[in-house]
Amino acid sequence: MPHIVIEYTPNLGALPFDAMLASTTQALSESPEVQDEADLKARVLRADHFRVGLADRGRGYLHVQLRILAGRTPEAKKDLSRRVADALHGHLKALPPGLEAFLSVEVVDMDRGSYTKVKLA
């Protein structure tokens, strides 16, 4: 915990994913909600088949799902969401011309009772 899953549409162009992951994990590691930076697990998934609204083209998105153990206050969740959005927004300045794109962040509670984590080494 937390798990950071970044899903994106390939029409956004070449994005600096290593830098994006570094910025996101750094911003989250500075939150009082994150006790150990090694708990941050981030990955990027490409959405090869997608649609945004009714348009056949010209639109894209980058959606982040931040999965955290349940029990955080709404204020803490909003802070985590804002940290992620701010960290990623700076990497999305130069989108292809004519593309309308959206950045969204969703904080999802994971059930504490069923979550298991084992350190392997």
Side-chain angles (χ1 to χ4, degrees):
M1 185 304 291
H3 285 267
I4 305 120
V5 181
I6 300 174
E7 181 182 332
Y8 75 101
T9 58
N11 62 345
L12 296 180
L15 296 174
F17 292 116
D18 287 337
M20 291 167 71
L21 291 173
S23 295
T24 302
T25 54
Q26 180 64 43
L28 288 172
S29 75
E30 295 168 0
S31 167
E33 297 298 320
V34 176
Q35 302 304 309
D36 183 356
E37 55 80 23
D39 287 339
L40 297 166
K41 298 157 197 84
R43 56 213 175 260
V44 177
L45 305 174
R46 178 178 155 141
D48 286 319
H49 304 281
F50 68 93
R51 182 176 273 274
V52 179
L54 300 176
D56 286 336
R57 62 185 60 172
R59 293 181 182 161
Y61 67 84
L62 190 135
H63 177 73
V64 182
Q65 187 179 79
L66 179 61
R67 300 182 56 78
I68 61 173
L69 289 174
R72 303 309 196 298
T73 66
E75 295 80 17
K77 291 177 185 180
K78 183 65 175 175
D79 177 64
L80 291 168
S81 175
R82 177 58 41 206
R83 286 174 188 270
V84 171
D86 290 347
L88 291 174
H89 189 257
H91 297 286
L92 301 170
K93 299 286 188 204
L95 294 176
L99 179 67
E100 181 180 32
F102 304 91
L103 167 63
S104 56
V105 180
E106 171 189 23
V107 178
V108 177
D109 286 334
M110 297 186 303
D111 180 62
R112 286 183 178 269
S114 64
Y115 183 76
T116 302
K117 178 175 80 172
V118 178
K119 188 172 182 178
L120 299 175

mmCIF file of all heavy atoms in Angstrom, residues 17-48:
data_model
loop_
_atom_site.group_PDB
_atom_site.id
_atom_site.type_symbol
_atom_site.label_atom_id
_atom_site.label_comp_id
_atom_site.label_asym_id
_atom_site.label_seq_id
_atom_site.Cartn_x
_atom_site.Cartn_y
_atom_site.Cartn_z
ATOM 1 N N PHE A 17 7.440 8.277 -18.814
ATOM 2 C CA PHE A 17 6.868 7.466 -17.741
ATOM 3 C C PHE A 17 7.796 7.297 -16.545
ATOM 4 O O PHE A 17 7.334 7.311 -15.410
ATOM 5 C CB PHE A 17 6.421 6.104 -18.276
ATOM 6 C CG PHE A 17 5.249 6.201 -19.195
ATOM 7 C CD1 PHE A 17 5.359 5.834 -20.521
ATOM 8 C CD2 PHE A 17 4.040 6.695 -18.751
ATOM 9 C CE1 PHE A 17 4.286 5.941 -21.372
ATOM 10 C CE2 PHE A 17 2.944 6.809 -19.593
ATOM 11 C CZ PHE A 17 3.076 6.421 -20.909
ATOM 12 N N ASP A 18 9.093 7.127 -16.765
ATOM 13 C CA ASP A 18 10.000 6.995 -15.622
ATOM 14 C C ASP A 18 9.962 8.243 -14.751
ATOM 15 O O ASP A 18 9.890 8.164 -13.522
ATOM 16 C CB ASP A 18 11.429 6.717 -16.092
ATOM 17 C CG ASP A 18 11.603 5.299 -16.622
ATOM 18 O OD1 ASP A 18 10.795 4.417 -16.248
ATOM 19 O OD2 ASP A 18 12.540 5.068 -17.401
ATOM 20 N N ALA A 19 9.990 9.404 -15.380
ATOM 21 C CA ALA A 19 9.929 10.665 -14.634
ATOM 22 C C ALA A 19 8.567 10.834 -13.961
ATOM 23 O O ALA A 19 8.484 11.341 -12.829
ATOM 24 C CB ALA A 19 10.217 11.841 -15.560
ATOM 25 N N MET A 20 7.510 10.420 -14.631
ATOM 26 C CA MET A 20 6.174 10.524 -14.061
ATOM 27 C C MET A 20 6.041 9.655 -12.808
ATOM 28 O O MET A 20 5.489 10.085 -11.793
ATOM 29 C CB MET A 20 5.132 10.128 -15.105
ATOM 30 C CG MET A 20 5.021 11.123 -16.253
ATOM 31 S SD MET A 20 4.077 10.490 -17.652
ATOM 32 C CE MET A 20 2.425 10.490 -16.985
ATOM 33 N N LEU A 21 6.557 8.431 -12.890
ATOM 34 C CA LEU A 21 6.504 7.533 -11.737
ATOM 35 C C LEU A 21 7.360 8.082 -10.599
ATOM 36 O O LEU A 21 6.966 8.026 -9.428
ATOM 37 C CB LEU A 21 6.947 6.127 -12.124
ATOM 38 C CG LEU A 21 6.004 5.380 -13.048
ATOM 39 C CD1 LEU A 21 6.628 4.062 -13.494
ATOM 40 C CD2 LEU A 21 4.662 5.131 -12.388
ATOM 41 N N ALA A 22 8.537 8.619 -10.930
ATOM 42 C CA ALA A 22 9.411 9.183 -9.906
ATOM 43 C C ALA A 22 8.747 10.374 -9.214
ATOM 44 O O ALA A 22 8.784 10.488 -7.981
ATOM 45 C CB ALA A 22 10.750 9.597 -10.519
ATOM 46 N N SER A 23 8.136 11.263 -9.981
ATOM 47 C CA SER A 23 7.461 12.432 -9.405
ATOM 48 C C SER A 23 6.298 12.014 -8.515
ATOM 49 O O SER A 23 6.096 12.574 -7.428
ATOM 50 C CB SER A 23 6.934 13.349 -10.514
ATOM 51 O OG SER A 23 7.979 13.893 -11.257
ATOM 52 N N THR A 24 5.537 11.051 -8.981
ATOM 53 C CA THR A 24 4.366 10.601 -8.231
ATOM 54 C C THR A 24 4.765 9.933 -6.922
ATOM 55 O O THR A 24 4.213 10.247 -5.857
ATOM 56 C CB THR A 24 3.521 9.636 -9.082
ATOM 57 O OG1 THR A 24 3.129 10.310 -10.288
ATOM 58 C CG2 THR A 24 2.283 9.173 -8.340
ATOM 59 N N THR A 25 5.719 9.031 -6.990
ATOM 60 C CA THR A 25 6.132 8.348 -5.758
ATOM 61 C C THR A 25 6.808 9.318 -4.790
ATOM 62 O O THR A 25 6.634 9.207 -3.577
ATOM 63 C CB THR A 25 7.029 7.134 -6.053
ATOM 64 O OG1 THR A 25 8.140 7.537 -6.858
ATOM 65 C CG2 THR A 25 6.250 6.037 -6.771
ATOM 66 N N GLN A 26 7.563 10.277 -5.309
ATOM 67 C CA GLN A 26 8.187 11.282 -4.438
ATOM 68 C C GLN A 26 7.125 12.108 -3.724
ATOM 69 O O GLN A 26 7.192 12.319 -2.512
ATOM 70 C CB GLN A 26 9.106 12.199 -5.242
ATOM 71 C CG GLN A 26 9.785 13.274 -4.410
ATOM 72 C CD GLN A 26 10.721 12.711 -3.369
ATOM 73 O OE1 GLN A 26 11.485 11.797 -3.635
ATOM 74 N NE2 GLN A 26 10.659 13.245 -2.152
ATOM 75 N N ALA A 27 6.134 12.576 -4.469
ATOM 76 C CA ALA A 27 5.068 13.390 -3.869
ATOM 77 C C ALA A 27 4.302 12.608 -2.805
ATOM 78 O O ALA A 27 3.979 13.150 -1.737
ATOM 79 C CB ALA A 27 4.122 13.882 -4.958
ATOM 80 N N LEU A 28 4.026 11.349 -3.080
ATOM 81 C CA LEU A 28 3.293 10.540 -2.105
ATOM 82 C C LEU A 28 4.151 10.202 -0.895
ATOM 83 O O LEU A 28 3.651 10.126 0.228
ATOM 84 C CB LEU A 28 2.767 9.265 -2.760
ATOM 85 C CG LEU A 28 1.604 9.470 -3.728
ATOM 86 C CD1 LEU A 28 1.292 8.172 -4.467
ATOM 87 C CD2 LEU A 28 0.378 9.990 -3.010
ATOM 88 N N SER A 29 5.445 10.004 -1.097
ATOM 89 C CA SER A 29 6.328 9.671 0.027
ATOM 90 C C SER A 29 6.398 10.815 1.037
ATOM 91 O O SER A 29 6.715 10.595 2.204
ATOM 92 C CB SER A 29 7.730 9.318 -0.473
ATOM 93 O OG SER A 29 8.434 10.483 -0.878
ATOM 94 N N GLU A 30 6.087 12.030 0.607
ATOM 95 C CA GLU A 30 6.116 13.203 1.486
ATOM 96 C C GLU A 30 4.818 13.383 2.272
ATOM 97 O O GLU A 30 4.720 14.278 3.108
ATOM 98 C CB GLU A 30 6.423 14.443 0.656
ATOM 99 C CG GLU A 30 7.814 14.392 0.046
ATOM 100 C CD GLU A 30 8.062 15.446 -1.010
ATOM 101 O OE1 GLU A 30 7.143 16.254 -1.305
ATOM 102 O OE2 GLU A 30 9.176 15.463 -1.560
ATOM 103 N N SER A 31 3.846 12.526 2.016
ATOM 104 C CA SER A 31 2.574 12.588 2.743
ATOM 105 C C SER A 31 2.723 11.928 4.112
ATOM 106 O O SER A 31 3.357 10.875 4.236
ATOM 107 C CB SER A 31 1.486 11.856 1.953
ATOM 108 O OG SER A 31 0.352 11.646 2.770
ATOM 109 N N PRO A 32 2.104 12.496 5.138
ATOM 110 C CA PRO A 32 2.115 11.837 6.447
ATOM 111 C C PRO A 32 1.361 10.507 6.449
ATOM 112 O O PRO A 32 1.508 9.712 7.375
ATOM 113 C CB PRO A 32 1.445 12.861 7.375
ATOM 114 C CG PRO A 32 0.726 13.811 6.495
ATOM 115 C CD PRO A 32 1.397 13.782 5.165
ATOM 116 N N GLU A 33 0.582 10.241 5.394
ATOM 117 C CA GLU A 33 -0.157 8.983 5.291
ATOM 118 C C GLU A 33 0.731 7.811 4.876
ATOM 119 O O GLU A 33 0.354 6.652 5.031
ATOM 120 C CB GLU A 33 -1.304 9.121 4.292
ATOM 121 C CG GLU A 33 -2.346 10.136 4.678
ATOM 122 C CD GLU A 33 -3.049 9.805 5.983
ATOM 123 O OE1 GLU A 33 -3.348 8.616 6.221
ATOM 124 O OE2 GLU A 33 -3.297 10.734 6.767
ATOM 125 N N VAL A 34 1.899 8.098 4.322
ATOM 126 C CA VAL A 34 2.812 7.046 3.855
ATOM 127 C C VAL A 34 3.926 6.898 4.883
ATOM 128 O O VAL A 34 4.730 7.810 5.085
ATOM 129 C CB VAL A 34 3.380 7.388 2.456
ATOM 130 C CG1 VAL A 34 4.392 6.342 2.016
ATOM 131 C CG2 VAL A 34 2.240 7.506 1.447
ATOM 132 N N GLN A 35 3.961 5.746 5.526
ATOM 133 C CA GLN A 35 4.936 5.505 6.584
ATOM 134 C C GLN A 35 6.287 5.026 6.051
ATOM 135 O O GLN A 35 7.324 5.309 6.629
ATOM 136 C CB GLN A 35 4.383 4.474 7.574
ATOM 137 C CG GLN A 35 3.071 4.896 8.205
ATOM 138 C CD GLN A 35 3.135 6.230 8.907
ATOM 139 O OE1 GLN A 35 4.018 6.454 9.724
ATOM 140 N NE2 GLN A 35 2.227 7.122 8.577
ATOM 141 N N ASP A 36 6.271 4.277 4.940
ATOM 142 C CA ASP A 36 7.497 3.706 4.386
ATOM 143 C C ASP A 36 7.451 3.856 2.868
ATOM 144 O O ASP A 36 6.542 3.338 2.216
ATOM 145 C CB ASP A 36 7.586 2.227 4.775
ATOM 146 C CG ASP A 36 8.853 1.540 4.306
ATOM 147 O OD1 ASP A 36 9.670 2.170 3.588
ATOM 148 O OD2 ASP A 36 9.027 0.353 4.635
ATOM 149 N N GLU A 37 8.427 4.544 2.293
ATOM 150 C CA GLU A 37 8.444 4.773 0.852
ATOM 151 C C GLU A 37 8.483 3.467 0.075
ATOM 152 O O GLU A 37 8.034 3.402 -1.057
ATOM 153 C CB GLU A 37 9.599 5.701 0.449
ATOM 154 C CG GLU A 37 10.989 5.248 0.888
ATOM 155 C CD GLU A 37 11.607 4.185 0.012
ATOM 156 O OE1 GLU A 37 11.233 4.057 -1.165
ATOM 157 O OE2 GLU A 37 12.477 3.471 0.517
ATOM 158 N N ALA A 38 8.988 2.408 0.663
ATOM 159 C CA ALA A 38 9.043 1.101 -0.011
ATOM 160 C C ALA A 38 7.650 0.496 -0.178
ATOM 161 O O ALA A 38 7.479 -0.471 -0.914
ATOM 162 C CB ALA A 38 9.954 0.142 0.744
ATOM 163 N N ASP A 39 6.652 1.064 0.503
ATOM 164 C CA ASP A 39 5.276 0.589 0.337
ATOM 165 C C ASP A 39 4.643 1.087 -0.955
ATOM 166 O O ASP A 39 3.598 0.589 -1.371
ATOM 167 C CB ASP A 39 4.402 1.037 1.509
ATOM 168 C CG ASP A 39 4.701 0.272 2.782
ATOM 169 O OD1 ASP A 39 5.255 -0.829 2.692
ATOM 170 O OD2 ASP A 39 4.376 0.796 3.864
ATOM 171 N N LEU A 40 5.244 2.077 -1.599
ATOM 172 C CA LEU A 40 4.706 2.644 -2.838
ATOM 173 C C LEU A 40 5.023 1.721 -4.009
ATOM 174 O O LEU A 40 6.186 1.429 -4.274
ATOM 175 C CB LEU A 40 5.297 4.028 -3.089
ATOM 176 C CG LEU A 40 4.960 5.080 -2.032
ATOM 177 C CD1 LEU A 40 5.853 6.291 -2.193
ATOM 178 C CD2 LEU A 40 3.498 5.462 -2.106
ATOM 179 N N LYS A 41 3.990 1.263 -4.680
ATOM 180 C CA LYS A 41 4.148 0.370 -5.826
ATOM 181 C C LYS A 41 3.412 0.991 -7.003
ATOM 182 O O LYS A 41 2.199 1.097 -6.982
ATOM 183 C CB LYS A 41 3.596 -1.013 -5.500
ATOM 184 C CG LYS A 41 4.336 -1.682 -4.351
ATOM 185 C CD LYS A 41 3.445 -2.730 -3.711
ATOM 186 C CE LYS A 41 3.964 -3.117 -2.355
ATOM 187 N NZ LYS A 41 3.518 -2.178 -1.316
ATOM 188 N N ALA A 42 4.169 1.406 -8.017
ATOM 189 C CA ALA A 42 3.575 2.156 -9.128
ATOM 190 C C ALA A 42 3.798 1.433 -10.443
ATOM 191 O O ALA A 42 4.847 0.828 -10.666
ATOM 192 C CB ALA A 42 4.182 3.557 -9.189
ATOM 193 N N ARG A 43 2.801 1.535 -11.324
ATOM 194 C CA ARG A 43 2.901 0.925 -12.643
ATOM 195 C C ARG A 43 2.058 1.696 -13.642
ATOM 196 O O ARG A 43 1.155 2.433 -13.260
ATOM 197 C CB ARG A 43 2.496 -0.528 -12.613
ATOM 198 C CG ARG A 43 1.104 -0.771 -12.059
ATOM 199 C CD ARG A 43 1.094 -2.097 -11.324
ATOM 200 N NE ARG A 43 -0.118 -2.419 -10.635
ATOM 201 C CZ ARG A 43 -0.294 -2.255 -9.333
ATOM 202 N NH1 ARG A 43 0.608 -1.692 -8.594
ATOM 203 N NH2 ARG A 43 -1.408 -2.652 -8.754
ATOM 204 N N VAL A 44 2.365 1.465 -14.912
ATOM 205 C CA VAL A 44 1.685 2.147 -16.010
ATOM 206 C C VAL A 44 1.059 1.108 -16.923
ATOM 207 O O VAL A 44 1.720 0.137 -17.311
ATOM 208 C CB VAL A 44 2.671 3.028 -16.814
ATOM 209 C CG1 VAL A 44 1.980 3.681 -17.987
ATOM 210 C CG2 VAL A 44 3.315 4.069 -15.918
ATOM 211 N N LEU A 45 -0.205 1.306 -17.275
ATOM 212 C CA LEU A 45 -0.921 0.410 -18.175
ATOM 213 C C LEU A 45 -1.446 1.201 -19.367
ATOM 214 O O LEU A 45 -2.039 2.269 -19.187
ATOM 215 C CB LEU A 45 -2.093 -0.254 -17.458
ATOM 216 C CG LEU A 45 -1.772 -1.018 -16.177
ATOM 217 C CD1 LEU A 45 -3.050 -1.501 -15.509
ATOM 218 C CD2 LEU A 45 -0.837 -2.176 -16.461
ATOM 219 N N ARG A 46 -1.254 0.680 -20.546
ATOM 220 C CA ARG A 46 -1.699 1.333 -21.777
ATOM 221 C C ARG A 46 -3.081 0.794 -22.169
ATOM 222 O O ARG A 46 -3.293 -0.415 -22.221
ATOM 223 C CB ARG A 46 -0.679 1.040 -22.874
ATOM 224 C CG ARG A 46 -1.029 1.608 -24.202
ATOM 225 C CD ARG A 46 0.090 1.278 -25.174
ATOM 226 N NE ARG A 46 -0.414 1.266 -26.521
ATOM 227 C CZ ARG A 46 0.255 1.741 -27.560
ATOM 228 N NH1 ARG A 46 1.463 2.220 -27.393
ATOM 229 N NH2 ARG A 46 -0.273 1.706 -28.750
ATOM 230 N N ALA A 47 -4.004 1.697 -22.465
ATOM 231 C CA ALA A 47 -5.353 1.328 -22.901
ATOM 232 C C ALA A 47 -5.395 1.373 -24.423
ATOM 233 O O ALA A 47 -5.641 2.416 -25.015
ATOM 234 C CB ALA A 47 -6.380 2.281 -22.306
ATOM 235 N N ASP A 48 -5.127 0.248 -25.051
ATOM 236 C CA ASP A 48 -5.082 0.223 -26.512
ATOM 237 C C ASP A 48 -6.442 0.420 -27.156
ATOM 238 O O ASP A 48 -6.539 0.954 -28.255
ATOM 239 C CB ASP A 48 -4.474 -1.099 -26.995
ATOM 240 C CG ASP A 48 -2.978 -1.141 -26.774
ATOM 241 O OD1 ASP A 48 -2.311 -0.109 -27.008
ATOM 242 O OD2 ASP A 48 -2.474 -2.197 -26.353
#
